Amino acid sequence: MRVHFTVNGRAQTADDVWEGESLLYVLRERLGLPGSKNACEQGECGSCTVRLDGVPVCACLVAAGQVEGRTVDTVEGLARYAEQREHEREHEHAGEHGGERGGTEPGAEARRPDGTSLDEARRWQARPEEDAPAGRSGAALSPVQQAFLDAGAVQCGFCTPGLLVAADDLLEHHPSPTDEDIREALSGNLCRCTGYEKILDAVRLAAARQESGRDSGQGNGRDGKDGKDGGGAAGSRTEEGPR
């Protein structure tokens, strides 16, 4: 079976796909995108979370044939996804005020109509000079990815890709989430290393920066309950999970 779909803005084709093959297997083994992790293969841990047509799903539970003609976004494309989303918001805002922005849509260079060969996809690796937006040094990261680094929310990293996708989706639909919102959004993502509090801190930090950036154009955190910069660190909470 041959499957045609779009992955992280690029047209892709997977050949000789077995009818029972999962999207996760195709991403990791056929397209060379190992970011989505293979852990439980039962949809319980969330480590393989990707977006399918903009909706978070466990890639291990999606049959490869189901993605024919559809769009998949993985953790490898998270920065591009976030940047494109922000560009669309700015464009809508400009349109509301009667203005039009020129230029090329961020990430448009990556969306090649002729697709990408399997060999090229397997050889692809992030390079700062290719992937960083103009005027920005170092490899491009989405706000959620940067917040996870800054908050120290990464240990072994196995659960991190799924958490990043889930957290980014949360902030896309709920820019100022409560702690209850965050716990609910991440309830399907399991982490065996942490007590989850740093992960919650990271989402709070990303939300604070997002809110502050839209209000003032600066990267300062909003005022939290404890008055600390970065959306309120955990303090004395000791819950063992985000549920």
Side-chain angles (χ1 to χ4, degrees):
M1 178 173 62
R2 174 175 293 178
V3 181
H4 304 85
F5 60 118
T6 300
V7 183
N8 298 330
R10 297 185 179 187
Q12 299 283 7
T13 299
D15 290 317
D16 300 322
V17 176
W18 173 55
E19 287 79 358
E21 206 161 283
S22 69
L23 171 60
L24 178 60
Y25 184 90
V26 170
L27 292 172
R28 290 179 57 84
E29 306 299 334
R30 295 188 181 277
L31 299 185
L33 295 170
S36 305
K37 302 306 181 205
N38 185 358
C40 71
E41 294 189 280
Q42 297 178 0
E44 295 290 339
C45 71
S47 65
C48 65
T49 303
V50 299
R51 281 184 173 100
L52 178 59
D53 291 339
V55 179
V57 298
C58 289
C60 70
L61 296 183
V62 178
Q66 290 181 278
V67 302
E68 173 67 33
R70 302 174 73 177
T71 298
V72 175
D73 291 281
T74 73
V75 68
E76 287 92 344
L78 194 59
R80 183 201 67 85
Y81 189 99
E83 185 176 4
Q84 180 180 339
R85 179 177 63 217
E86 190 61 30
H87 174 79
E88 290 172 351
R89 285 174 176 167
E90 291 176 357
H91 186 77
E92 291 175 0
H93 181 73
E96 290 173 358
H97 291 79
E100 292 294 336
R101 295 179 181 268
T104 303
E105 180 182 349
E109 302 85 354
R111 290 192 292 277
R112 295 169 46 185
D114 58 337
T116 304
S117 69
L118 177 57
D119 288 342
E120 184 179 354
R122 285 174 171 166
R123 291 195 302 269
W124 180 89
Q125 51 185 313
R127 297 183 179 88
E129 66 272 15
E130 292 180 358
D131 298 322
R136 189 183 303 171
S137 60
L141 295 175
S142 72
V144 170
Q145 288 171 312
Q146 189 62 56
F148 265 65
L149 287 177
D150 294 342
V154 179
Q155 288 196 26
C156 82
F158 211 81
C159 66
T160 305
L163 283 164
L164 288 170
V165 174
D168 186 76
D169 182 75
L170 167 66
L171 296 180
E172 178 179 359
H173 297 95
H174 300 284
S176 301
T178 64
D179 279 5
E180 182 178 355
D181 292 333
I182 298 173
R183 292 172 184 275
E184 177 64 25
L186 303 186
S187 62
N189 296 81
L190 303 182
C191 175
R192 293 176 174 85
C193 296
T194 74
Y196 291 94
E197 200 56 57
K198 290 295 184 182
I199 294 170
L200 300 180
D201 283 347
V203 182
R204 296 181 189 116
L205 177 58
R209 288 173 172 172
Q210 180 173 269
E211 181 177 304
S212 178
R214 289 176 182 170
D215 289 344
S216 65
Q218 298 177 354
N220 295 328
R222 64 184 175 189
D223 293 333
K225 293 180 181 179
D226 55 4
K228 293 182 181 178
D229 179 52
S236 59
R237 289 191 287 273
T238 57
E239 293 87 349
E240 294 181 358
R243 298 179 186 269

